[in-house]
Amino acid sequence: DPDSGDNGLLLYSLVNNQTNEFDINENTGQIFTVSVAGKAGTFCLKVQAADQGTGRLTAQTTVNVTVDSSSSHNFVVVVLNQKINVVERNIAEVKRVLEDKLAWNVYIVDVYSSEFERKTRSSTDVTYVKITAFGEANQEVPAEDVKRKLREQKSNIETDLAKVFSTSVTAAVEEAPAVVEEAPADSATPELIATIVLSVLLACTFVAFLVYVLFTIKRKRKYKQQYLMKKRAEIMEGIDNPCATDKNGSLKSLETLEHMSD
């Protein structure tokens, strides 16, 4: 729109509201995917441009987007020493530089950082750009070939990206972490499961036995203390009561015992 002012200010939108799969930058008109995982085929998007002048004028066109099923094994991650919000603002230029140096069609699959960075958006200078490349006849380029080309063109890519971000840029290929060979969790054998169950049962039995022993010892100590206290009470009672009991159970005073003694 060659007009100036509000009459030349265009805002873009998707008319058929397919925002589950796609969205559009209202200021630039750039269409990007939201989620097309597991989906393939051609999507027809109706795009509208509208100026912001009085008597708002609009125009529409149809954009056909073909989604190919792509293998995640061909994804390559480029690590940039830039803040994620800065990379997102310049993602179109990043794509252009990569395509120019790799000589393939490059698709930006995702731009992300760590979970913490997803919240702050701008604290750490590390951003990951996940890409996949397509060569002639729209055939996917193997990930190893993309990595090799990225390493070969590393210096040139960094030089051009430095012009985009107006600062020194490093662009490294993220290498997959070393895989430790171990049996998957779901491959446990019946013997292993039986051993684990038996070990748990034995452990529970041992704990129950310890509890029983401790309870028994404590109960015996309690009964012993009660018995000693009872005997002590009987002794004290005998000292305090100046009477004795004969074999028939009748009481004789100490005075009578003394008289018989005389």
Side-chain angles (χ1 to χ4, degrees), residues 217-254:
I217 293 174
K218 185 176 181 181
R219 183 173 60 179
K220 286 183 177 180
R221 286 181 178 176
K222 181 179 180 181
Y223 286 164
K224 185 175 181 180
Q225 289 177 353
Q226 290 178 345
Y227 175 77
L228 292 175
M229 291 179 65
K230 182 178 180 181
K231 296 298 293 183
R232 182 179 179 185
E234 290 177 356
I235 294 172
M236 295 300 296
E237 183 180 0
I239 294 175
D240 294 336
N241 187 3
C243 295
T245 305
D246 62 11
K247 61 182 180 179
N248 296 323
S250 59
L251 295 177
K252 293 181 180 181
S253 66
L254 292 177

Side-chain angles (χ1 to χ4, degrees), residues 12 35 44 66 104 109 145 166 201 217 233 258:
Y12 302 88
S35 175
C44 297
T66 300
W104 292 317
V109 179
D145 291 346
S166 299
L201 290 176
I217 293 174
E258 291 176 358

Side-chain angles (χ1 to χ4, degrees), residues 4-62:
S4 60
D6 290 341
N7 289 331
L9 177 61
L10 300 181
L11 294 182
Y12 302 88
S13 61
L14 295 177
V15 177
N16 45 359
N17 197 30
Q18 290 181 271
T19 54
N20 289 333
E21 294 84 16
F22 301 92
D23 206 346
I24 191 169
N25 185 316
E26 66 172 5
N27 295 311
T28 65
Q30 182 182 24
I31 298 171
F32 55 93
T33 59
V34 175
S35 175
V36 291
K39 301 176 182 179
T42 301
F43 295 81
C44 297
L45 306 180
K46 186 172 290 188
V47 179
Q48 175 174 286
D51 66 22
Q52 303 304 298
T54 305
R56 194 175 180 189
L57 300 177
T58 63
Q60 295 182 357
T61 189
T62 299

Side-chain angles (χ1 to χ4, degrees), residues 80-84 86-87 124-127 165 167-170:
L80 303 178
N81 65 332
Q82 300 295 316
K83 294 180 175 62
I84 185 172
V86 176
V87 174
T124 304
D125 295 335
V126 178
T127 299
F165 294 103
T167 186
S168 177
V169 176
T170 60

Side-chain angles (χ1 to χ4, degrees), residues 5 23 25 67 85 93 95 105 122 153 169 176-177 186 194 206 254:
D23 206 346
N25 185 316
V67 179
N85 55 339
E93 286 299 301
K95 180 177 183 294
N105 291 324
S122 60
Q153 294 293 325
V169 176
D186 57 356
F206 180 72
L254 292 177

